[in-house]
Amino acid sequence: MAFTLELGAQAPEFSLPATDGKTYGLGDFADAKVLVVFFTCNHCPYVVGSDEVTRATALKYADQGVRFVAINANSVNTKPDDSFGHMVQRMEEQQFPWTYLHDESQAVAKSYGALRTPHFFVLDDARRLVYTGRGVDQPRDTSKMTVNNLDEALAEHLAGKPVSTPLTNPIGCNVKWDGQDEHWMPVEACDLV
């Protein structure tokens, strides 16, 4: 069995605290025509480098019923900057157009099979996976970007077309699993494609 959620699979449920003081599950986004769940963090240069492109993509599709949910599952024992307090501070500073959740137990990251930060999962109205992988091809320096896979996947799906490239390898830092070296990945978490 693959580590990462497979195309067509039902999105795993979650119940996680957010930086706004509330707790969210899939049902809280029932009004979304498309839900983009992505695993991210506070410090990763690939996240920081591409946050503004992700913001632009989220804003571009907001009026078409697309909602974005960010999840930070990094171990604070490995990266103290990824603590919940730092998440709150980052959202206050950046005012991102998404809900920012904390997966302290890392159970949700494991259920989705998050590999890196950032790692995107695009879910249709039935919450089945239609795209997973990277946001863009140059997340660390988006001035060199030649393709925005996330934007393409959303545009195609919203137009009623199959996603032409539904699977890409996420590009970024490894998810920081608790009790493991910061570069560790589960054996079954090989490249997606």
Side-chain angles (χ1 to χ4, degrees):
M1 182 171 157
F3 178 76
T4 299
L5 197 65
E6 296 185 319
L7 292 167
Q10 192 73 42
E13 186 51 84
F14 56 80
S15 179
L16 296 172
T19 54
D20 65 6
K22 300 175 188 168
T23 298
Y24 291 87
L26 280 177
D28 293 299
F29 305 98
D31 62 329
K33 189 176 186 179
V34 176
L35 188 64
V36 179
V37 173
F38 67 108
F39 291 83
T40 187
C41 64
N42 300 324
H43 80 279
C44 170
Y46 297 90
V47 167
V48 174
S50 60
D51 266 341
E52 289 311 309
V53 172
T54 305
R55 182 199 300 270
T57 305
L59 293 173
K60 177 180 177 180
Y61 292 103
D63 65 352
Q64 293 182 61
V66 179
R67 299 271 304 273
F68 278 60
V69 178
I71 300 175
N72 175 11
N74 277 358
S75 168
V76 293
N77 295 319
T78 309
K79 291 289 178 188
D81 285 352
D82 283 329
S83 71
F84 186 72
H86 283 104
M87 289 170 60
V88 172
Q89 182 183 346
R90 186 155 160 69
M91 281 299 276
E92 285 173 356
E93 291 168 358
Q94 299 293 327
Q95 296 293 306
F96 289 123
W98 49 74
T99 305
Y100 196 11
L101 307 178
H102 191 213
D103 179 20
E104 186 177 9
S105 74
Q106 304 186 314
V108 178
K110 285 175 185 157
S111 70
Y112 279 78
L115 298 175
R116 301 186 183 277
T117 53
H119 187 169
F120 294 85
F121 296 80
V122 177
L123 307 165
D124 67 11
D125 58 356
R127 300 302 176 249
R128 294 194 180 279
L129 187 67
V130 296
Y131 172 81
T132 187
R134 68 191 188 189
V136 300
D137 64 341
Q138 296 285 337
R140 194 168 185 149
D141 181 1
T142 52
S143 69
K144 298 175 181 171
M145 177 178 87
T146 61
V147 63
N148 184 331
N149 294 99
L150 179 62
D151 182 274
E152 287 180 1
L154 288 169
E156 289 172 344
H157 180 70
L158 288 166
K161 301 174 184 171
V163 177
S164 55
T165 307
L167 199 61
T168 59
N169 282 321
I171 301 170
C173 301
N174 289 16
V175 170
K176 307 307 179 204
W177 300 103
D178 197 40
Q180 301 288 348
D181 176 83
E182 67 177 277
H183 301 293
W184 180 85
M185 258 196 188
V187 175
E188 65 275 26
C190 298
D191 285 350
L192 296 181
V193 290

